Amino acid sequence: MTSSIDESNKEKMRSVSVDLNHDASLLIDIPDALCERDKVKFTVHTKTTLSSFQKPDFSVPRQHEDFIWLHDTLVETEDYAGLIIPPVPPKPDFESPREKMHKLGEGEATMTKEEYTKMKQELEAEYLAVFKKTVQVHEVFLQRLSSHPILSKDRNFQIFLEYDQDLTVRRKNAKEMFGGFFKNMVKSADEVLISGIKEVDDFFEQEKTFLLDYYSKIKDSTAKAEKMTRSHKNIADDYIHISATLSSLSADDTTANKKHLEKLADLFEKLRKVEGRVASDQELKLTELLRYYMRDIQAAKDLLYRRARALVDYENSNKALDKARLKSKDIPQAEQHQQQCLQKFDKLSDSGKKELTSFKGRRVVAFRKNLIEMAELEIKHAKNNVALLQGCIDLLKSI
């Protein structure tokens, strides 16, 4: 499946409103993508006036593993420890619509031709929506980087954008995956130990308390939003069966009820389309936004973890210096190490405050924009439903 996403369509699909502050000197988008089973090949297009790039306008092919590589290199760069690294895009997952399509094929014999056709159209639309969202979250990741004053200048980021050959980023082998798993376990245990460290700055103490509670609420809201969206999709599917059944009844009816059944069948078909749009809009404007900020809040928590780790290192260096002075041994080395730890901690604290303050502003703007847009769409769809029902009642009365 090849998809070329035009600008108007991309704007409709824009579910994650992040304040990207587009700098005309470095503009990035993903105009095309090719889906092959579980792999998606993205065409990353860059337009720039920066002299650090060889050309002002160019495109390169990239896969999901390339995005993971870029994210990991940023996270592992010591100089970026005080920054919120934009969350890595989730792996493309087309299993759900593909499984539904398989089940639809198995149940074709139990449906009318009209039912099957409409259900298939719904699933194809769902597959396309998943595909477009996959492209979008990868595009947002790159645009977050390009809008950041420091990350936009990263050398690996430039290589990702400009190198026109395959990056040959290999998947992690079993040993590396186990190492990553072990590292995460150590980090989790480390976080428990660090959580007992007394915070020396009220700003970070308040941010930690807020983000932990906020993450829990966002996670719960995401689950409930997903359930709500599924319910609307199920209603739309039920309307297909109701409409098809009414159409079948009207075809066999030779009485005065025939026209009534035809009108009702037409009503449920129109209601099905409205309900499908309701589900789609809720998915784009609310559910996807919540999913994105679950990942973004985790990225902010990771920043707090790195700073807390630096605080522990600084406190340990103070203890080591006291011990060195008591023994009158290796004092210069201990003093140097203590100064290095202090400088690192102060640097993380300064950049961390700026990042978390910016994150708060960006989050507020995103939620405000999306919730207003979703409310306006909900009102629009509700009015359409009322108009359809009232129109049907008037028609039935006139027959």
Side-chain angles (χ1 to χ4, degrees), residues 361-378:
R362 183 173 67 248
R363 188 178 70 246
V364 170
V365 170
F367 273 88
R368 183 177 184 278
K369 180 177 181 293
N370 271 37
L371 291 177
I372 288 173
E373 289 177 353
M374 192 183 81
E376 290 173 343
L377 289 167
E378 293 280 325

Side-chain angles (χ1 to χ4, degrees), residues 153-178:
K153 296 178 177 63
D154 179 75
R155 177 58 184 162
N156 285 318
F157 182 41
Q158 183 173 338
I159 290 172
F160 177 95
L161 295 176
E162 195 171 30
Y163 184 61
D164 60 2
Q165 301 297 317
D166 189 344
L167 286 177
T168 61
V169 176
R170 63 177 177 83
R171 291 173 179 262
K172 293 182 178 180
N173 58 39
K175 182 178 179 181
E176 289 169 327
M177 290 177 69
F178 179 77

